[in-house]
Amino acid sequence: MKQSKPILRALSGEILSTPPIWMMRQAGRYLPEYRATRAEAGDFLSLCYNSDLATEVTLQPIRRYGFDASILFADILLLPQALGADLWFVTGEGPRLSTVTNAADFAKLKGKDDIHEHLAPIYQTVRNLVQSLPEQTTLIGFAGAPWTVATYMIAGKGTPDQAPAHLLKSTGLPVFDALIDLITEATIEYLSQQILAGAEVVKLFDSWAGSLHNEDFKKYALAPTKRIITALKKRHPHTPIIAFPREAGDNYIGFAKATGADCVAVDNSVSANWIAQHMQVDGCVQGNLASRHMVTGGQNLIDDTTAIVKALGKGPHIFNLGHGITPDADPENVQLMIDTVRSIA
Ligand code: CP3
């Protein structure tokens, strides 16, 4: 199938003279219009579950910057909530969840097919976006990868070293494995519904993959990603999938081939030249400008942006940040990044 949207062309392996661009967390607190809509919704979760307002914030960065992709406005922690976990956000601190640390906690969770009523507003947001996005803009759906989602479900919050999840893995392996299994199966169903609703690409966020090493990386980052991709490809063979095993280091090498991902997103702890040499040989890559440039701007932003576009210009590449844009970013720096990328061609 010949694609015309730039993101889909890059994902199919085409080398474009100017890489398509989008940004992780592109709808977010650095934008005044996002803050206004979030205030209208009341709080972050109400915004996620209000399809009209979630559609509006998804479109805001597209209107302002004309990114090549929009990403569904939602959160990776909505799936645990659909599975029965309590979820709330503490302002200035982040997410809080009821914890899963033993067989009794696990037994209270719902099954993989019981999530859709809770997630119906998310599918509605996807359908709204299909109607309202510009013709050339690709719609990306997403979910958290099982390990990353499990770290939040086990600890009940974000943790710098994911210690509670590592502890359960070593002292309560049957519960840990059952949880990874349930999240894996539920994620297949969740992403499948996003695709049926109109998501053209899906992305798996494994934000904490970097804390898994050796066999653990294979078992809990690589294998669940492969299982999700294999199942989705069976049902939706034409939907490209982006994997993001953040801070995987050397484990990035061969990840696309081993999992079947069409593209691997890369953080900024590795250089663009390293990515070109070790990863792009296998296909499309996405990344990897440090998000701090969106705060600091100036000539450093221009230089690093230029270096990335040049280093990755000989293969299929989607320009993005190495991680999400932060709330203290200056919206004008985002424009400077885009202008720089588009001036290089
Ligand atoms: O990228 C996008 O614009 C799409 C929407 C999106 C959000 N979260 C919105 C959001 C996506 C793809 C995510 C992914 C996500 N959520 C991840 C994986 C990617 C990553 O950043 O590592 C993780 C770990 C989460 C869990 C989560 N959600 C945390 C830890 C927090 C609090 C930290 C923070 O930045 O405040 C959130 C909140 C969240 N998710 C916000 C947004 C726009 C900020 C909420 C607000 O408006 O207050």
Side-chain angles (χ1 to χ4, degrees):
M1 209 178 354
K2 196 93 184 117
Q3 303 293 356
S4 69
K5 297 188 183 188
I7 295 260
L8 297 177
R9 288 170 63 191
L11 286 168
S12 71
E14 209 178 310
I15 303 167
L16 305 177
S17 55
T18 302
I21 315 175
W22 68 281
M23 223 174 43
M24 283 184 265
R25 293 275 174 101
Q26 61 190 23
R29 287 162 291 181
Y30 74 105
L31 289 178
E33 58 268 38
Y34 170 85
R35 296 195 297 269
T37 310
R38 185 176 176 277
E40 190 185 335
D43 59 66
F44 172 64
L45 282 177
S46 306
L47 178 53
C48 290
Y49 289 114
N50 181 321
S51 307
D52 290 338
L53 296 183
T55 303
E56 166 57 22
V57 292
T58 308
L59 292 171
Q60 286 169 350
I62 307 304
R63 276 187 213 123
R64 190 189 263 256
Y65 298 114
F67 283 117
D68 293 288
S70 72
I71 182 158
L72 162 70
F73 189 84
D75 196 86
I76 66 164
L77 300 178
L78 305 186
L79 182 67
Q81 195 179 30
L83 285 168
D86 295 329
L87 172 69
W88 65 105
F89 279 78
V90 180
T91 311
E93 290 186 33
R96 294 289 181 275
L97 299 89
S98 50
T99 59
V100 180
T101 59
N102 55 48
D105 296 336
F106 180 78
K108 285 189 226 140
L109 295 174
K110 296 185 188 165
K112 70 173 174 87
D113 293 313
D114 304 331
I115 58 175
H116 299 307
E117 200 182 313
H118 182 93
L119 295 167
I122 311 309
Y123 309 142
Q124 185 58 44
T125 305
V126 175
R127 285 192 292 271
N128 292 350
L129 287 165
V130 171
Q131 299 300 317
S132 35
L133 279 168
E135 213 173 294
Q136 288 297 304
T137 316
T138 300
L139 175 55
I140 303 176
F142 73 93
W147 160 251
T148 289
V149 172
T151 65
Y152 288 95
M153 293 182 80
I154 294 164
K157 59 183 179 182
T159 46
D161 49 7
Q162 297 77 58
H166 284 286
L167 183 69
L168 188 66
K169 175 158 58 61
S170 61
T171 61
L173 190 60
V175 174
F176 180 82
D177 279 343
L179 183 61
I180 292 284
D181 212 57
L182 173 62
I183 299 167
T184 303
E185 291 294 327
T187 300
I188 293 165
E189 302 310 322
Y190 182 35
L191 289 176
S192 195
Q193 287 303 315
Q194 290 185 27
I195 293 167
L196 291 173
E200 299 169 279
V201 174
V202 292
K203 176 168 174 184
L204 274 172
F205 284 86
D206 213 348
S207 305
W208 301 116
S211 81
L212 292 169
H213 303 289
N214 306 317
E215 282 309 303
D216 274 354
F217 183 89
K218 289 195 186 119
K219 256 169 107 171
Y220 299 117
L222 196 150
T225 297
K226 181 181 178 180
R227 204 165 128 201
I228 292 166
I229 292 176
T230 307
L232 288 176
K233 290 281 178 189
K234 229 178 239 167
R235 296 186 203 178
H236 316 280
H238 302 299
T239 303
I241 302 174
I242 304 172
F244 182 36
R246 192 170 73 89
E247 296 195 350
D250 283 349
N251 284 320
Y252 274 128
I253 302 171
F255 195 81
K257 275 196 170 155
T259 58
D262 299 273
C263 175
V264 176
V266 195
D267 70 89
N268 51 280
S269 68
V270 291
S271 76
N273 284 321
W274 186 92
I275 296 169
Q277 189 184 345
H278 295 287
M279 299 176 66
Q280 208 178 26
V281 289
D282 292 334
C284 188
V285 293
Q286 178 178 284
N288 74 333
L289 185 71
S291 32
R292 71 181 147 75
H293 285 302
M294 298 302 106
V295 181
T296 52
Q299 193 60 41
N300 282 338
L301 182 162
I302 295 173
D303 292 347
D304 277 14
T305 299
T306 306
I308 289 168
V309 172
K310 293 223 153 120
L312 297 172
K314 294 174 210 75
H317 176 216
I318 297 169
F319 193 92
N320 204 308
L321 303 178
H323 200 193
I325 187 169
T326 51
D328 54 345
D330 180 343
E332 288 193 16
N333 290 332
V334 176
Q335 191 62 56
L336 178 60
M337 169 188 79
I338 295 170
D339 292 345
T340 304
V341 172
R342 292 188 173 155
S343 72
I344 295 169

